[in-house]
């Protein structure tokens, strides 16, 4: 169907720009519809209507020459206001669609149909015209086309009641056998189709459909980066006095900390640090320890006296004076010297 132009057909004399997300025209538009899935090639609308019709006035439907005509068959022409979910038939060509009578030819004799739109078809700026064809010979197939149109009606009609469009040879609609010369084949399906009411509803003013452009760059609002903040380093750990009556004799299971002093500018690849281990729960100082060391060697296992014989500390101090690579420590500003880092 080239007039009105089926969605994304490359064969129409004039056609709107493609909508966003549709990268090319449908060059397989003459192929039959798959048995399952949508009964239309596309459920996405043109960026603008391709025809403007008036209720009660004649309209002409045109088809592209050169396609296989399959000896005719049954054609329906319908109007929808909900993108094809419901469609009311406004014209039919049964038995010999594309021909003037019975034929064994695969080349169409008729490529145009003119008929009057019903006078009570409602006005809408967002209506769809639908063509449906079931072929007479060949594989059991279904062909459809859908075009976006506007309809004018000064009579104020709000709805239209007509026979429902049906889609034989598609899932859920049954199949019409090959005619084999009997052009009455399948007519009862169309004759017994129920009536349906179609109405514009909220479709009279559809939202605009963006046009597609391969060079278009979508503009976006970018949030400003989060405000940087100065993080206060944790408070320096302090030596804790032991409880009254307790003399430290062993290392606690508490996690040790290291006092790290960074030297050199932070941009250098290696930072030299001096680390002195403090056992925060096992090394205590007190002005009056309850039990001072008495050994002349002033040792207790692996521990040595601290100044004033006030307690014990590990010997030698772990990591004392050892240089560490910057790859094991995060870079830090010089103002972070003296931070306590967990091991």
């Amino acid at each position: 169907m080239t007039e009105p132009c089926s969605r994304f057909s490359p064969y129409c004399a004039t056609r709107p720009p493609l909508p966003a997300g549709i990268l090319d025209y449908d060059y397989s538009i003459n192929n039959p519809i798959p048995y399952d899935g949508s009964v239309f090639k596309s459920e996405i609308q043109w960026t603008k209507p391709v025809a403007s019709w008036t209720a009660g006035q004649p309209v002409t439907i045109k088809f592209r020459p050169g396609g296989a005509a399959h000896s005719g068959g049954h054609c329906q022409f319908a109007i929808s206001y909900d993108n094809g979910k419901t469609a009311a038939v406004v014209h039919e060509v049964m038995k010999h669609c594309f021909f003037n009578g019975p034929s064994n030819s695969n080349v169409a004799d008729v490529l145009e149909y003119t008929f009057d739109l019903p006078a009570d078809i409602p006005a809408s700026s967002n209506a769809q015209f639908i063509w449906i064809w079931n072929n007479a010979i060949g594989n059991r197939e279904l062909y459809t086309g859908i075009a976006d149109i506007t309809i004018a009606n000064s009579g104020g009609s709000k709805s239209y009641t007509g026979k429902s469009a049906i889609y034989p040879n598609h899932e859920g609609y049954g199949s019409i056998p090959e005619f084999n010369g009997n052009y009455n084949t399948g007519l009862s399906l169309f004759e017994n189709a129920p009536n349906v009411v179609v109405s514009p509803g909220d479709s009279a003013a559809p939202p605009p459909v963006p046009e597609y452009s391969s060079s278009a760059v979508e503009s976006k609002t970018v949030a400003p980066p989060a405000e940087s903040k100065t993080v206060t380093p944790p408070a320096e750990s302090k030596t804790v006095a032991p409880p009254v009556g307790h003399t430290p004799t062993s290392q606690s299971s508490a996690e040790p900390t290291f006092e790290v002093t960074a030297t050199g500018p932070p941009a250098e690849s290696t930072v030299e640090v001096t680390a002195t281990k403090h056992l925060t729960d096992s090394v205590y100082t007190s002005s009056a320890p309850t039990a001072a060391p008495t050994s002349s060697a002033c040792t207790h296992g692996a521990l040595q006296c601290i100044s004033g014989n006030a307690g014990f500390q590990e010997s030698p101090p772990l990591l004392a004076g050892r240089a560490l690579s910057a790859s094991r420590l995060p870079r830090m500003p010089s103002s972070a010297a003296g931070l306590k880092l967990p091991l």
Side-chain angles (χ1 to χ4, degrees):
M1 184 173 69
T2 58
E3 188 176 320
C5 188
S6 292
R7 288 176 182 171
F8 318 139
S9 170
Y11 304 117
C12 303
T14 60
R15 55 184 182 255
L18 290 172
I22 302 298
L23 302 182
D24 202 356
Y25 293 98
D26 181 9
Y27 289 92
S28 67
I29 197 166
N30 289 339
N31 293 350
I33 301 297
Y35 178 74
D36 55 357
S38 174
V39 294
F40 304 113
K41 283 284 189 174
S42 177
E43 296 183 356
I44 300 175
Q45 294 178 286
W46 278 118
T47 53
K48 61 182 67 176
V50 295
S52 297
W53 293 348
T54 300
Q57 298 299 308
V59 296
T60 298
I61 313 305
K62 297 182 180 182
F63 296 89
R64 176 174 174 257
H70 295 289
S71 296
H74 307 315
C75 283
Q76 305 167 81
F77 303 90
I79 293 292
S80 175
Y81 297 95
D82 59 5
N83 208 24
K85 294 181 178 66
T86 55
V89 173
V90 294
H91 187 67
E92 289 180 328
V93 178
M94 296 285 102
K95 303 181 181 181
H96 310 299
C97 193
F98 302 121
F99 292 91
N100 292 312
S103 175
N104 291 323
S105 175
N106 209 27
V107 179
D109 293 335
V110 179
L111 294 172
E112 291 186 17
Y113 288 100
T114 298
F115 56 87
D116 290 344
L117 277 183
D120 57 344
I121 201 82
S124 174
S125 60
N126 184 31
Q128 295 82 44
F129 177 74
I130 295 168
W131 159 70
I132 308 163
W133 172 37
N134 292 107
N135 55 317
I137 64 171
N139 295 331
R140 299 299 75 215
E141 294 171 341
L142 170 70
Y143 297 84
T144 68
I146 182 169
D148 300 294
I149 63 171
T150 66
I151 299 175
N153 189 338
S154 58
S157 176
K158 301 298 182 184
S159 65
Y160 173 76
T161 301
K163 195 160 48 176
S164 176
I166 61 173
Y167 305 89
N169 300 344
H170 193 270
E171 184 178 21
Y173 289 93
S175 179
I176 297 178
E178 193 170 12
F179 288 13
N180 293 320
N182 179 8
Y183 284 87
N184 292 321
T185 301
L187 284 182
S188 60
L189 287 175
F190 301 93
E191 293 168 352
N192 297 324
N195 283 345
V196 66
V197 178
V198 292
S199 175
D202 295 333
S203 69
V209 179
E211 297 182 6
Y212 172 78
S213 172
S214 59
S215 61
V217 178
E218 182 182 2
S219 61
K220 297 182 179 181
T221 301
V222 180
E227 181 183 359
S228 59
K229 297 181 180 180
T230 301
V231 179
T232 304
E236 183 179 357
S237 60
K238 299 179 179 180
T239 303
V240 182
V244 176
H246 174 72
T247 300
T249 57
S250 64
Q251 179 175 326
S252 167
S253 62
E255 180 181 312
T257 62
F258 289 87
E259 181 177 347
V260 180
T261 302
T263 63
E268 294 179 355
S269 59
T270 303
V271 178
E272 294 292 333
V273 299
T274 300
T276 304
K277 181 175 179 180
H278 294 271
L279 304 177
T280 55
D281 286 337
S282 62
V283 178
Y284 304 99
T285 59
S286 171
S287 56
T290 56
T294 57
S295 170
S296 60
C298 196
T299 60
H300 184 78
L303 302 180
Q304 285 187 343
C305 293
I306 62 175
S307 178
N309 290 351
F312 298 100
Q313 67 179 3
E314 190 178 67
S315 177
L318 182 62
L319 297 180
R322 181 182 301 175
L324 301 181
S325 169
S327 63
R328 299 188 57 187
L329 291 173
R331 296 185 183 275
M332 61 184 74
S334 58
S335 59
L339 289 180
K340 301 289 185 177
L341 301 179
L343 178 60

